[in-house]
Every structure is written in structure tokens, then in C-alpha cells.
Amino acid sequence: MNEDLIEFDTHINFEERNYRLDGQYTGIGVHYHKQTEIFYLLEGSGTCFINTEVFHLEKGCVLVIPANMPHSSLYSNPKNSRMVLNCDMRLFSYDIAMEMKTPFYIPPKPELESEISFLFYKIKKEYASEEKYANAVLTNYVSLLIILLLRAKINVSSETVKTNFIEKAISYIHKQYPDRIRITDAAQYCGVRPEHLSRTFKQKTQLNFNEYVLSYRLRQAEIQLLDPSSKSISKIAYDCGFNDSNYFSSCFRKKYGMTPSQFREQEGEKEKL
């Protein structure tokens, strides 16, 4: 992963990242930000999970993720590139701040593409600038971007960007992941046929049902491994739905490039720095 991150003393942070696929998919585990995130996908595709909501990411889309809201993402293309803004909403009016308190998605739209691209690149330029009044210009460009997105949000509000029974299936997985999960049980819980759930789940998340279950269990194990006072690795495996600790270690190594014990040791060393 290559990243170009510039840091300034400001309430607006800009970041540009490139992800290259290693294996079947790559992603970012469950996390949150103290500021509102505005995510612009330049290249690639994937899926973002915000609580139980699922958003399909494709080139040119914009996703707004409110502050302190847990989310994670998976990318399925060999090459993925994005621009990300993190904004303190206290910089803006009360009405705008309230509108940005719920996540929303703007699909790729030809009539918006040039304006969104122009504003993001202007923001990138001003963020890196050391010229006088750069922060004031930066804030104005971000304000224009937010207003453009909120207007677009109104126009696409009638479009379907998520599927209710898929959200319900994901909620079921999040509750049941420590136990055995079968697609037939999830389908019954959602009130649809297993075949329909399987097909639509793949369309909406870019993962099949079992892949998502495995990915979510590994993300939960990652969170527990980050806790230095946490349980043994075999106990974590069991509590995250893996009946075989060797299988858990194999899956973990395939995704993270190291064993659970190596991951825990590496993160422990980072804490000491």
C-alpha cells in the first residue's frame, strides 16, 4: 500500500491512498474517525459496511461517513485508489452539520463527475499549499463540495443504494458470528429463499455469504487480538466462531500475512513505541 499523507494544523485532513489487491480481496477492518469522512473512489471497486448498512463502491462514487461511526471496507479490484477528507463539522453551519450526521452515498453520475473531481483536486492542492490564506481557501472548497453532495443526496434519495433484507442478513451475521451460521437459517430470518439471498448478497457486497461470514469473524478476532489483556488465541478463535484454532490461524495468515500470535506481538511492539 502506497499512501501520500500530508498533515497540517487544521480541522480538515486530506489523504490519498492506493491499494493493490493481495489475494482474493483486501480491506480495512472495523474502525472509526473523530471527524466526518468524505470518501471519493478514483479507481477500483469494493464494499463498505457501516453498522448494518452495505454500500457498493465503484469508480466515481462518493460516500459520507459520520464522525465516530464504526465502519469497514473490502476491495475486490486488483488496483484501488481513493481520496479521503476528514472534516470537523464545527467549521460549518448547524444545518449542514445536522445533514452530515447520517451516512449517505452518491453513485457515479456523469453530470457531477467534473465538479466533484475539480473540487477534490483543488482541495488537494490547497491542503499541500503553504501560501497565505491557504486554510481559508481550503475551507471554502470543502464547503462547496459538501453543499454539492447534499444537493446530489436530495436528487438521488429515491434511488435504491441498499437492500433491506441484505441489511437484515448482515445484522444476523453480526449477532450470530460466534455460533454456527448457515445461509438457510439467515434466509429464514430474512424471509427470503436461500437462493435469492445468496445471489443478491453477492451482488450487493461483492462477496458470497460464506466469504462475508469469514471476513467478519476475522475482523472481530483482529479487534480482540489488539487488546493486550485479551484471551488466549484459541479462546479468541472459539469466541469468533472458529471451532478449529489451526483453521483460524490458517485463515488469519492468508488475510493478514502473519499468524495471530505474530500479529499480537507486532501490535504489542507498536504500543511500546
Side-chain angles (χ1 to χ4, degrees), residues 256-271:
Y256 295 96
M258 64 186 79
T259 65
S261 57
Q262 289 170 334
F263 178 84
R264 173 179 268 177
E265 183 178 345
Q266 173 180 284
E267 294 302 315
E269 289 299 319
K270 288 180 182 178
E271 290 293 324

Side-chain angles (χ1 to χ4, degrees), residues 21 23-26 47 49 72-76 170 173-174 177 181-183 198-199 201-220 242 247 251 254-256:
L21 189 64
Q24 187 176 5
Y25 56 86
T26 189
T47 307
F49 307 94
S72 61
S73 57
L74 290 169
Y75 296 97
S76 50
I170 288 175
I173 292 169
H174 290 187
Y177 77 91
I181 296 177
R182 298 182 300 181
I183 194 168
S198 177
R199 182 173 59 254
F201 199 98
K202 176 71 171 180
Q203 290 173 349
K204 295 296 180 181
T205 70
Q206 307 302 298
L207 297 173
N208 67 42
F209 183 84
N210 289 333
E211 286 173 341
Y212 181 82
V213 171
L214 175 60
S215 177
Y216 187 76
R217 283 172 168 163
L218 288 172
R219 291 202 299 271
Q220 298 310 303
F242 294 92
Y247 175 65
C251 292
K254 185 176 181 181
K255 180 174 182 179
Y256 295 96

Side-chain angles (χ1 to χ4, degrees), residues 5 15 17 37 49 59 66 74 76 78 89 92 95 100 115 120 155 162 174-175 196 201 211 228 230 256 263-265:
L5 175 61
E15 183 178 19
R17 286 187 176 182
E37 178 178 320
F49 307 94
K59 181 180 178 180
L74 290 169
S76 50
M89 297 312 298
F92 309 102
D95 289 346
M100 299 289 279
E115 289 183 84
F120 263 99
N155 293 332
K162 53 193 178 182
H174 290 187
K175 292 175 183 176
H196 183 47
F201 199 98
E211 286 173 341
S230 187
Y256 295 96
F263 178 84
R264 173 179 268 177
E265 183 178 345

Side-chain angles (χ1 to χ4, degrees), residues 151-195:
R151 286 177 172 174
K153 172 189 174 184
I154 294 170
N155 293 332
V156 302
S157 61
S158 61
E159 299 179 16
T160 302
V161 297
K162 53 193 178 182
T163 305
N164 287 338
F165 73 84
I166 295 298
E167 291 180 25
K168 197 171 181 180
I170 288 175
S171 178
Y172 177 83
I173 292 169
H174 290 187
K175 292 175 183 176
Q176 296 293 122
Y177 77 91
D179 304 314
R180 184 183 182 187
I181 296 177
R182 298 182 300 181
I183 194 168
T184 51
D185 295 331
Q188 184 177 7
Y189 178 80
C190 296
V192 297
R193 293 190 304 173
E195 297 81 6

Side-chain angles (χ1 to χ4, degrees), residues 100-119:
M100 299 289 279
K101 277 187 173 293
T102 56
F104 66 90
Y105 171 91
I106 307 298
K109 284 185 167 289
E111 64 270 26
L112 292 175
E113 183 179 356
S114 60
E115 289 183 84
I116 291 174
S117 178
F118 171 81
L119 288 171

Side-chain angles (χ1 to χ4, degrees), residues 71-89:
H71 58 283
S72 61
S73 57
L74 290 169
Y75 296 97
S76 50
N77 266 35
K79 185 179 179 182
N80 302 276
S81 178
R82 64 177 188 160
M83 288 183 173
V84 178
L85 278 171
N86 289 101
C87 311
D88 186 335
M89 297 312 298

Side-chain angles (χ1 to χ4, degrees), residues 10 12 85 123 126-127 133-143:
T10 177
I12 297 172
L85 278 171
I123 288 165
E126 291 300 327
Y127 190 80
Y133 307 124
N135 278 348
V137 177
L138 172 65
T139 303
N140 285 334
Y141 277 129
V142 173
S143 296

